[in-house]
Amino acid sequence: MKYETMLDRFLKYVKINTRSDASIMTIPSTDVQKDFLKMLKEDLEELGLSDIQLNEENWFLTATLPSNSNKLFDKIGFISHVDTADFNSINIKPNIIENYDGNDIVLNKEKDIVMTTKAFPNLKNYVGKTLITTDGTTLLGADDKAGIVEIIEAVKYLKEHPEIEHGDIRIAFGPDEEIGRGADNFDAKHFATDYAYTMDGGVLGELQYESFNAAQITYKITGVSVHPGTAKDKMKNANTIAAELAMMFPENEVPEKTSGYEGFYLLHEMNSRIEEATLVYIIRDFNREKFEERKQFCVGVAEKINAKYGDVLEYNMFDQYYNMGDVIEKDKKSVNIAEVAMRNVDVNPIVIPIRGGTDGSKISYMGIPTPNIFVGGENFHGQYEFSCLEHMQKAADVIVEIAKLAKK
């Protein structure tokens, strides 16, 4: 299938800064996301979709491509997020590399920024393809503007080819996925689909319906600062207590030493001085029972510190999201259809767990099973991010094929 406007649309969207900000508690966290959603609304209106609504409370943009068939189809949805990750996203300058030759890619000659095949051997998988990269000073924003573009182009294709029968197709674009808050306010009742898909994966063929269970704990240590010359039996050094606390965590259960279904603890942030220290850990596990055990371990760490030093430590722990697989396993129709759709368009499904979360992690628990599908990019969240145009086209093909297959 041909998507003649896909590249131009992608280049237009990625050049727009839509970075979210975890330190700001508004919805969305940044006004640039509002501006982008308003622009997307105009694009959907130009496309001629129905029931286009931009909810200025949760800032989700939704629309419908109505059914064109008398046959019974499931009502399905496709979802992507508009924000980009915590990396420079100002003045994005995409580079287009046609017929990539498999060699190192000079992203920025002036600053000597090179994406090497030694550091990124995955580049060898893209020989002969069209790659879109950064200039080495920003991220690209394919996570998740590639997903947005693929949804729009697929819906545009279906609208232009009424001979392809399908049921109601709902789309939703929302904010603040990268900071884990956007889907908290998703209106599942209004979206009202039988199941949906987030277009928010990575390489060609990825199909994910299992995610981490996720929590965060913040430890606050209150020390006692005394002049070191007279500190004996008086000082409580929050720095060294924080270091001791960190050493209580298992050294091999960290992201850089785990993979697959293995969970971890991550010291995400640490600020420390003698009188006060703050440590933020994120807790991840696919298994719900092990997840709860990890949380209790973190509480036990706090109790041990207080038992040794007195009541110097307070903590705050909260759950962030849960493994959507626990919901989707009860009815895997959405996953099964996606697998068939991929094979029908010559894509080999790679069914793997998400070592993270998507908006679907929360939306699945709102009553809409929502697996995650590839968008055709790699190295997200940094200067070496890139997308493959041909694989983006394949993602749109998968959306069209799902629309054909989603029958009652």
Side-chain angles (χ1 to χ4, degrees):
M1 288 174 270
K2 293 184 178 181
Y3 307 98
E4 295 176 353
T5 57
M6 177 173 280
L7 180 59
D8 288 343
R9 190 185 301 278
F10 183 63
L11 296 177
K12 172 185 172 183
Y13 289 175
V14 297
K15 289 177 183 178
I16 301 171
N17 171 29
T18 57
R19 184 175 174 177
S20 51
D21 188 338
S23 69
I24 298 174
M25 301 309 295
T26 59
I27 303 174
S29 62
T30 53
D31 285 340
V32 289
Q33 295 182 74
K34 293 182 182 180
D35 296 337
F36 187 66
L37 283 160
K38 290 174 182 177
M39 186 201 73
L40 285 178
K41 183 173 183 286
E42 293 176 359
D43 287 356
L44 298 185
E45 289 169 345
E46 183 179 335
L47 194 59
L49 298 186
S50 301
D51 193 27
I52 301 170
Q53 297 182 40
L54 179 55
N55 184 324
E56 295 194 6
E57 291 185 4
N58 66 12
W59 284 92
F60 268 88
L61 172 64
T62 56
T64 304
L65 178 64
S67 172
N68 66 354
S69 176
N70 292 324
K71 297 176 183 176
L72 292 178
F73 281 85
D74 293 329
K75 190 174 183 179
I76 60 174
F78 296 93
I79 302 165
S80 288
H81 62 89
V82 302
D83 66 316
T84 56
D86 188 20
F87 195 86
N88 181 30
S89 58
I90 297 174
N91 198 27
I92 293 172
K93 296 176 181 177
N95 290 323
I96 302 171
I97 302 168
E98 296 181 344
N99 194 26
Y100 170 58
D101 61 8
N103 294 318
D104 294 351
I105 298 174
V106 178
L107 299 177
N108 195 308
K109 186 176 181 179
E110 181 181 329
K111 297 184 177 182
D112 193 28
I113 301 172
V114 181
M115 180 160 50
T116 67
T117 56
K118 181 178 180 180
F120 301 99
N122 49 320
L123 284 169
K124 294 293 187 180
N125 298 326
Y126 297 91
V127 174
K129 304 297 184 184
T130 301
L131 301 185
I132 303 102
T133 73
T134 75
D135 73 346
T137 63
T138 69
L139 50 62
L140 181 62
D143 179 9
D144 192 23
K145 287 170 183 169
I148 294 170
V149 169
E150 290 154 6
I151 292 170
I152 292 177
E153 290 295 321
V155 168
K156 179 174 179 283
Y157 185 90
L158 286 168
K159 198 168 189 305
E160 292 172 349
H161 292 81
E163 72 277 8
I164 300 174
E165 292 186 273
H166 59 81
D168 286 341
I169 298 172
R170 296 276 281 153
I171 65 175
F173 304 134
D176 288 339
E177 190 270 351
E178 296 292 359
I179 59 175
R181 297 204 300 254
D184 290 346
N185 302 292
F186 183 76
D187 190 344
K189 184 177 180 181
H190 172 255
F191 200 58
T193 61
D194 295 299
Y195 44 90
Y197 301 89
T198 48
M199 301 299 298
D200 194 17
V203 300
L204 179 73
E206 276 189 358
L207 173 58
Q208 300 157 320
Y209 69 92
E210 298 172 280
S211 64
F212 279 133
N213 296 290
Q216 177 176 304
I217 186 167
T218 300
Y219 298 107
K220 182 180 178 182
I221 301 167
T222 302
V224 177
S225 181
V226 180
H227 189 285
T230 57
K232 183 174 171 54
D233 298 327
K234 299 174 186 175
M235 179 184 285
K236 292 185 178 181
N237 190 334
N239 291 313
T240 55
I241 296 172
E244 182 177 340
L245 183 152
M247 291 301 293
M248 294 170 71
F249 281 80
E251 63 177 335
N252 291 322
E253 295 181 26
V254 291
E256 60 268 35
K257 295 184 179 181
T258 54
S259 62
Y261 285 94
E262 296 172 321
F264 60 76
Y265 306 95
L266 171 64
L267 178 54
H268 191 262
E269 183 179 333
M270 182 175 179
N271 295 289
S272 182
R273 55 187 188 274
I274 291 174
E275 64 271 22
E276 184 177 284
T278 302
L279 301 90
V280 179
Y281 276 84
I282 62 173
I283 307 158
R284 301 290 187 264
D285 209 293
F286 288 95
N287 181 280
R288 188 61 176 267
E289 184 177 340
K290 290 181 180 178
F291 173 62
E292 295 299 331
E293 289 174 359
R294 288 186 182 277
K295 288 162 60 179
Q296 286 305 307
F297 172 84
C298 292
V299 172
V301 165
E303 292 172 345
K304 289 176 182 177
I305 292 291
N306 279 334
K308 182 173 181 179
Y309 293 100
D311 292 330
V312 298
L313 185 148
E314 299 175 353
Y315 67 88
N316 177 52
M317 182 164 58
F318 61 91
D319 291 353
Q320 296 171 301
Y321 56 84
Y322 301 111
N323 185 352
M324 61 188 182
D326 293 343
V327 173
I328 296 174
E329 280 283 0
K330 297 173 184 176
D331 183 357
K332 291 179 67 175
K333 183 176 184 179
S334 57
V335 177
N336 296 336
I337 285 177
E339 285 193 75
V340 174
M342 287 186 187
R343 292 193 179 97
N344 286 356
V345 298
D346 298 321
V347 172
N348 180 43
I350 305 171
V351 183
I352 56 174
I354 307 170
R355 288 186 60 79
T358 70
D359 281 339
S361 301
K362 294 182 178 180
I363 294 170
S364 292
Y365 279 86
M366 295 176 182
I368 301 175
T370 307
N372 189 45
I373 291 175
F374 72 93
V375 297
E378 294 201 51
N379 303 343
F380 295 149
H381 295 193
Q383 68 199 100
Y384 299 110
E385 181 182 4
F386 67 88
S387 283
C388 172
L389 179 60
E390 290 82 359
H391 294 180
M392 289 175 62
Q393 293 168 340
K394 281 294 187 182
D397 289 347
V398 171
I399 293 172
V400 172
E401 193 65 20
I402 288 173
K404 294 179 188 178
L405 295 172
K407 296 176 181 177
K408 293 287 186 184

